[in-house]
Structures are given as structure tokens and as C-alpha cells.
Amino acid sequence: MRIHRIRSYDEFVTHQNRSSVLISEHMKIIDSLVPKKQDVFFVPGYSYTAGRQVQFLVDFQHSGNSGRVIWRERVCCPETGFNNRMRATFHLFDIELEAYPDSRIYITEQITPIYSYFASRYKYAVGSEFLGSKIAFGSVDKRGVRNETLTGLSFQDQSFDIMVCLDVLEHVPDYYQAFQECIRVLKVGGRIMWSVPFVPSSPKNIVRARLKNGEIEHILEPEYHGDPLSQDGVLCFTHFGWEMLDQMRSAGFSDAYALCYHSLEFGYLGGEQFLFVARK
């Protein structure tokens, strides 16, 4: 697997220039994998979560009318069911975050296979969902689901060694306050891994909507993402650019960087993908 750690837009431009031929060759191989007339096909590779060679299932779910494979959400392991981005998250977590069996880990989701994966491996893993005003923040509902908001976490200072926050921050209007809460609940030297809708060609964040006087103001066409708690989906407020890493550092993190990765062998297909890591 190729992994590059990139800390700014300028570093990314340099990376692009140096990797253009390699990425072009990678994409040619990816394009050649897609059959012309099949709805489902299989790609061989090594599943990190299954620990063996498998035939990854690929199809055209989530493609809409584009007719293109949404690689990030497919390439599913037949043994574990985890797709491209999930398997890569677990793989890069093990490489980057230096977790121990007794590490205290907070995952900003709880009723998902991702949380179940972490909870099965780390006895001090804690998960939560955003349940809004249904119950008090920090409390647990009848299903055992904990209610938290990233802009006002109920945990004490320095509660966790590690945080994992996947595709959540784009739904938080005041994401900078969320950054500050993340650093508050992490121990000194603690790390956070996160993912968001990311536009690598953009130095700045792209604000799609904002809260103004308690009301949602749409700046761009409303965009809703899947929500495990509701069929209505959840509004996306921001697509992030490289500015995000500067904001994490200004919030108090000592380092923040993008993991830019891809791998034919592990089935992390579709060109370069991004996860992010910051250290307190």
C-alpha cells in the first residue's frame, strides 16, 4: 500500500506533480477492471479485516445515473462485509494510531459495524450517536445508545487516548467548536483519526450551509447524507479543503496531516483516497 502524509495544499501540489504518472497508471488498471455489461463483478485482493485473499464484490450501488462505480463505498469483503473505506480505516488505524488493548477509545458512532469492530477489540471503547433533545447528552436510551454532541461532549478533560470520527464533522455547523472539544477530551499525546467530504483541489473549505440566527441558510444546493437513525438523511454543511488542517492546529493540535493512500493489492481502489490524523 502506498501512503503519503501530507500537511498542506502546497505539499499536495508537489505530491501530485511527483505522482502523476503512477496515479495515471493506477487509474488505467482500475478502469480495465470494470466489465462493460455486468452489474456485479469481482476483483481479487487481500482483505485486511479477513486476513486472507478474497474475491472482493463490486457493483454500481450509489452511482445514480453516472454509470460509474463508487469505489469508496463498494469493493466489499465477502468474509466481513466491510467495504473499501471501512477496511482502509481499520488498516490505517493500526498503522498510525498506536493503540493498545487497554487504550481508551471514543468512536463517534455506536449502532454501526464500525463501532462493533472497535468494541470487539478494545474493551474500553465508547461509542455514541447524536440523538438531539430526545434525552440528555451523556445519557443512554433504552437501547443502550449514548447521546452526545461533538460541540459539547459530556466527557471529562483528557478522557481518551484515541478518537475516531468518520463522516460526522461535515454535519456539524460549528465544526471548529467540535475540533476544540476533540482536543479537550483527548489525553496529551492522544490522536484522532477522521474522515470528511474532502476536496483535495481546494485550499479552502467549501461552506454549503450555515446556521444564522438559529435558522439554516443554504449557500449551495442542499446535500443530504445517509443517517443510520433516520431515513430522511442528514444535511451536509461543509465540504472541507486543506484549510481544515490549519484549523485543527489552531484549535490546539500539535500536528495534523492527511493520509493519502491507494492499493491494488488490498482493494483500496478508485484513485487516491484520504483519511486524516491529528495529535494533541
Side-chain angles (χ1 to χ4, degrees):
M1 175 167 53
R2 289 185 175 272
I3 306 172
H4 297 274
R5 294 161 183 83
I6 301 174
R7 291 172 169 80
S8 69
Y9 175 73
D10 289 342
E11 284 188 15
F12 177 67
V13 171
T14 299
H15 163 72
Q16 272 196 311
N17 292 335
R18 297 180 68 182
S19 303
S20 59
V21 173
L22 181 66
I23 296 302
S24 177
E25 292 174 351
H26 173 80
M27 292 308 300
K28 287 179 182 178
I29 295 172
I30 297 302
D31 290 342
S32 73
L33 296 174
V34 183
K36 294 181 179 180
K37 295 184 178 181
Q38 289 179 264
D39 294 331
V40 176
F41 59 99
F42 298 88
V43 176
Y46 187 89
S47 171
Y48 181 77
T49 50
R52 68 180 189 87
Q53 289 289 130
V54 300
Q55 292 289 326
F56 292 116
L57 182 148
V58 187
D59 57 29
F60 293 86
Q61 285 190 35
H62 313 297
S63 65
N65 297 321
S66 70
R68 299 181 63 84
V69 174
I70 307 302
W71 294 100
R72 181 176 184 265
E73 299 299 327
R74 306 312 296 152
V75 199
C76 298
C77 172
E79 299 289 331
T80 65
F82 294 129
N83 64 19
N84 182 338
R85 65 177 174 84
M86 294 175 179
R87 290 181 290 102
T89 296
F90 304 140
H91 197 165
L92 290 168
F93 177 94
D94 288 347
I95 291 172
E96 293 292 313
L97 269 66
E98 301 178 358
Y100 292 90
D102 62 349
S103 292
R104 296 187 177 273
I105 303 174
Y106 174 45
I107 303 102
T108 60
E109 54 194 272
Q110 190 177 350
I111 58 172
T112 65
I114 288 174
Y115 171 74
S116 297
Y117 178 91
F118 283 115
S120 70
R121 287 158 176 76
Y122 299 98
K123 62 181 178 179
Y124 297 119
V126 176
S128 71
E129 298 285 350
F130 178 72
L131 304 178
S133 59
K134 296 177 182 178
I135 60 173
F137 290 118
S139 62
V140 176
D141 71 5
K142 294 179 180 179
R143 300 169 295 172
V145 177
R146 184 183 183 112
N147 187 23
E148 291 288 349
T149 175
L150 268 176
T151 55
L153 294 168
S154 68
F155 305 109
Q156 295 182 353
D157 294 357
Q158 300 194 58
S159 292
F160 299 103
D161 302 293
I162 294 169
M163 282 186 66
V164 179
C165 181
L166 304 174
D167 297 333
V168 172
L169 287 161
E170 66 268 26
H171 305 299
V172 180
D174 190 356
Y175 60 81
Y176 190 78
Q177 175 63 31
F179 293 169
Q180 293 177 313
E181 277 294 277
C182 292
I183 197 166
R184 180 184 68 80
V185 302
L186 280 171
K187 297 177 183 178
V188 175
R191 301 186 186 195
I192 179 173
M193 173 177 279
W194 77 99
S195 62
V196 289
F198 183 66
V199 184
S201 61
S202 178
K204 298 293 185 180
N205 299 335
I206 300 168
V207 179
R208 301 188 60 88
R210 61 188 176 190
L211 280 182
K212 189 174 183 180
N213 299 322
E215 299 290 332
I216 295 175
E217 178 185 2
H218 294 287
I219 299 168
L220 299 174
E221 185 72 19
E223 179 178 295
Y224 293 88
H225 298 170
D227 183 353
L229 296 170
S230 171
Q231 294 182 349
D232 297 332
V234 58
L235 180 66
C236 176
F237 284 87
T238 311
H239 284 187
F240 290 88
W242 292 98
E243 175 185 14
M244 173 181 65
L245 297 181
D246 292 331
Q247 291 173 322
M248 289 294 273
R249 287 186 280 265
S250 68
F253 285 95
S254 63
D255 191 16
Y257 56 93
L259 295 170
C260 183
Y261 67 93
H262 69 275
S263 173
L264 290 170
E265 295 79 9
F266 287 103
Y268 307 145
L269 308 179
E272 291 188 306
Q273 298 167 61
F274 293 86
L275 275 170
F276 303 91
V277 174
R279 182 185 182 103
K280 182 174 177 178

